[in-house]
Amino acid sequence: MRTTGTDMGTAGASATSAAGTGTTSGGTVATAPVRWLSADQQRDWRAFRDGTVLLLDALGRDLEERSGLSLHEYEVMVRLSEAPGRTLRMSQLATDIAHSRSRLTHTISRMESAGLVARVACSEDARGVNCVLTEKGWAALVAAAPGHVASVRAHLVDVLSGEQLVALGEAMEQVRAHLRGECPADDVH
């Protein structure tokens, strides 16, 4: 269903009921007006959504074919490789790569079975668990990195101008900060 202000017309009023309803303290139902996307906003949203899906599919396919690693596994290994002692707490790793803890646990279990990482008790907190990049994991990362970087260049970096890449990075940093509650509400445009 296309939901721009111009093509919703008066039908937009009936479509708002499901999107913006809530109960007031007096028990009555209040409906907040829906701010439909303009045609330009809809175009940009769909370009972002479709481009992101296609990009991640291409990067994942290339990485899998060249190294046997998934994008999630690769990102875990990158984050661990950048940490002191190639070690991070599982909770910090989940936050850093924007995975749910259960999804990360499944990914780490697969990687641990393959010998790429190891889980060890956290020495600072008996309840915590650290994830450590093994030597085998380090070797797999070093072997996979050149092909992955070539894929990122071919499908993103070299497709955009320098200005477009900077704008994309700044925009996604703003979205990331907003979704993590790191930016004040008045910074959101």
Side-chain angles (χ1 to χ4, degrees):
M1 176 173 150
R2 190 171 179 128
T3 55
T4 62
T6 56
D7 55 26
M8 285 298 293
T10 56
S14 63
T16 62
S17 61
T21 59
T23 305
T24 65
S25 60
T28 61
V29 175
T31 302
V34 175
R35 293 179 51 220
W36 297 109
L37 300 178
S38 70
D40 288 345
Q41 290 170 330
Q42 183 78 309
R43 179 200 64 229
D44 293 343
W45 158 243
R46 287 183 177 176
F48 166 78
R49 185 196 60 208
D50 295 349
T52 300
V53 169
L54 291 169
L55 175 63
L56 292 177
D57 284 350
L59 295 175
R61 188 174 46 256
D62 287 353
L63 186 61
E64 183 79 34
E65 288 171 2
R66 292 177 179 172
S67 69
L69 297 171
S70 72
L71 277 174
H72 300 295
E73 293 165 340
Y74 184 85
E75 188 59 28
V76 165
M77 292 168 37
V78 166
R79 298 303 173 110
L80 291 172
S81 77
E82 295 170 343
R86 298 182 189 156
T87 302
L88 282 173
R89 283 185 68 131
M90 289 285 288
S91 59
Q92 185 62 50
L93 189 55
T95 299
D96 288 352
I97 61 175
H99 275 0
S100 68
R101 290 185 187 198
S102 64
R103 182 175 185 184
L104 179 64
T105 299
H106 290 295
T107 300
I108 296 300
S109 293
R110 274 194 324 271
M111 295 175 74
E112 194 170 31
S113 294
L116 302 173
V117 299
R119 283 184 273 201
V120 296
C122 178
S123 60
E124 297 87 34
D125 178 0
R127 296 173 297 160
V129 175
N130 287 337
C131 186
V132 179
L133 184 64
T134 64
E135 286 304 316
K136 182 177 179 180
W138 172 251
L141 178 61
V142 168
H148 182 60
V149 170
S151 183
V152 170
R153 283 197 164 283
H155 299 305
L156 179 67
V157 174
D158 295 343
V159 174
L160 302 177
S161 70
E163 294 80 19
Q164 289 172 319
L165 188 60
V166 168
L168 177 64
E170 289 172 349
M172 290 297 93
E173 177 56 26
Q174 180 71 23
V175 170
R176 185 205 61 77
H178 167 72
L179 293 173
R180 287 194 171 160
E182 297 171 0
C183 63
D186 59 356
D187 284 353
V188 178
H189 305 290

